[in-house]
Amino acid sequence: MPEKTTAENIFGSIVETLAESGSKQKSVSFFGEEKSNPVASQFNRLFGRQKPVYNLLGGGKSADVLLWRNKKVSASFLTGATAIWVLFEWLEYHCLTLVFFALVLGMLAQFIWSNASGLFSSGRSQTKVPRLVLPEEIFVNIAITISAEVNRALSFLQDVASGGNIKQLLVVLASLWAAAVLGSWFSFLTVLYVGIVAAHTLPVFYERYEDQVDSFVYKVLQQIQDNYRKLDDGVLSKIPKGKLKGKKFE
């Protein structure tokens, strides 16, 4: 059928474009054989971006961690997230088990410390064992941050649902559907860990090779748009569309 042949040709063209663009960008990024045009890169920023990546991430300590300005903190955070993911996913530990084991070890350590200090003090007063007290501000700040982010997400979803922008609504619905599918494939902890790894790798990679990434993405989007026009002219425009006529009421 002509429609099937046209669709196959378009799909093959997309694959060839991705392969050619990927090979070109790879040679530019790692071997330095070509240089991107700095004038063109100023106008082809991804999604119309005008601010630096550091400012888009909010600046401050969070941006420093995500962009590896402080390598020790970034590496420690990523290592801790990896250790937690391995404990719960690979070794199949449970949260309550680890919490109670930690409490048992803490109580034993405090018991040994408080009694051993009296034995080795030679009649002097016992060494005061330090007390672990969590400040209330930590829990208050966590609750405020979580509630603010949840309310912002709910407000965004409600604005999209009632805004009348069909394109934006379809994009959000497709994103939520994709998130639901991913949630059925992986556990919440795995999805959260993948998000943490992506947050610690993609921004710093984009900041280093932003000209090449922007150029590659725009070439792909342009090719997809051209192929969609061909598909529309060759297939979609030939599909008969029914006409709805309203009834007249006297």
Side-chain angles (χ1 to χ4, degrees):
M1 296 177 65
E3 292 82 356
K4 185 176 181 181
T5 304
T6 304
E8 291 178 353
N9 293 335
I10 294 173
F11 180 75
S13 178
I14 293 175
V15 174
E16 292 177 0
T17 303
L18 290 174
E20 292 176 359
S21 301
S23 61
K24 290 180 181 179
Q25 294 303 324
K26 185 176 180 181
S27 62
V28 172
S29 300
F30 297 99
F31 297 101
E33 295 178 357
E34 299 179 4
K35 294 183 179 180
S36 59
N37 190 353
V39 178
S41 64
Q42 294 179 0
F43 299 96
N44 290 332
R45 291 304 182 191
L46 191 61
F47 306 120
R49 178 179 60 84
Q50 297 179 355
K51 296 181 179 180
V53 180
Y54 183 84
N55 293 337
L56 291 178
L57 295 176
K61 295 182 179 180
S62 60
D64 291 338
V65 173
L66 295 178
L67 294 177
W68 292 78
R69 298 286 196 271
N70 192 337
K71 295 183 178 180
K72 293 183 178 180
V73 176
S74 301
S76 301
F77 187 85
L78 193 58
T79 302
T82 304
I84 293 174
W85 180 73
V86 169
L87 285 175
F88 289 109
E89 289 296 324
W90 280 13
L91 302 181
E92 296 182 353
Y93 276 92
H94 299 283
C95 181
L96 290 178
T97 303
L98 292 178
V99 169
F100 289 129
F101 274 148
L103 292 176
V104 168
L105 293 177
M107 291 183 66
L108 290 176
Q110 190 170 12
F111 175 78
I112 295 174
W113 189 343
S114 60
N115 289 275
S117 60
L119 295 176
F120 294 101
S121 60
S122 300
R124 293 177 295 178
S125 60
Q126 296 182 356
T127 304
K128 188 176 181 180
V129 180
R131 297 275 182 167
L132 178 62
V133 179
L134 297 178
E136 297 180 357
E137 291 78 8
I138 294 179
F139 300 97
V140 173
N141 293 333
I142 292 176
I144 293 175
T145 303
I146 294 177
S147 62
E149 294 299 329
V150 171
N151 289 329
R152 191 190 331 186
L154 292 176
S155 177
F156 171 75
L157 294 177
Q158 293 174 10
D159 292 339
V160 171
S162 59
N165 190 338
I166 302 299
K167 183 178 179 180
Q168 188 180 23
L169 177 63
L170 293 177
V171 170
V172 173
L173 292 178
S175 302
L176 293 176
W177 178 82
V181 173
L182 289 176
S184 64
W185 291 348
F186 307 100
S187 64
F188 175 75
L189 184 61
T190 300
V191 175
L192 182 62
Y193 174 70
V194 171
I196 292 175
V197 173
H200 282 76
T201 54
L202 296 181
V204 66
F205 177 82
Y206 177 71
E207 186 186 39
R208 186 173 182 181
Y209 302 105
E210 57 182 348
D211 292 336
Q212 291 82 1
V213 173
D214 291 340
S215 178
F216 172 75
V217 171
Y218 269 91
K219 287 180 180 179
V220 172
L221 293 178
Q222 184 64 37
Q223 186 64 31
I224 291 176
Q225 186 177 6
D226 295 340
N227 290 325
Y228 175 77
R229 291 174 181 174
K230 295 179 182 179
L231 180 64
D232 187 27
D233 295 336
V235 179
L236 299 180
S237 61
K238 297 180 180 180
I239 299 176
K241 299 180 180 180
K243 295 182 179 180
L244 299 178
K245 295 182 179 180
K247 295 181 180 181
K248 295 182 179 180
F249 297 94
E250 294 181 358

